[in-house]
């Protein structure tokens, strides 16, 4: 499965806001970072409360 790629940090932040709005009890940590495979694009990485990586959106 391919990771979702966003055109801007704002697009990625909006996606996270929608996820949080749909599940107020969501305790995951979301980190927006530049996609190394696609210059100028962004990905969202997901981490658990303990900081361990869980994957990408």
């Amino acid at each position: 499965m391919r990771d979702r790629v966003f055109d801007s940090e704002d697009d990625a932040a909006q996606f996270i806001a929608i996820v949080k709005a749909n599940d107020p009890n969501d305790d995951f940590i979301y980190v927006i970072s530049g996609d190394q495979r696609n210059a100028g694009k962004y990905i969202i990485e997901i981490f658990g409360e303990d900081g361990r990586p869980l994957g990408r959106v």
Side-chain angles (χ1 to χ4, degrees), residues 8-54:
S8 69
E9 287 182 90
D10 287 341
D11 289 346
Q14 185 176 28
F15 180 87
I16 294 169
I18 292 168
V19 169
K20 293 287 192 179
N22 287 328
D23 184 2
N25 296 318
D26 181 353
D27 292 332
F28 295 123
I29 300 165
Y30 296 88
V31 177
I32 300 169
S33 59
D35 185 358
Q36 296 179 359
R37 292 176 278 180
N38 297 301
K41 304 289 183 177
Y42 297 87
I43 58 170
I44 300 173
E45 298 177 279
I46 306 169
F47 296 86
E49 288 180 10
D50 60 359
R52 73 188 150 92
L54 300 175

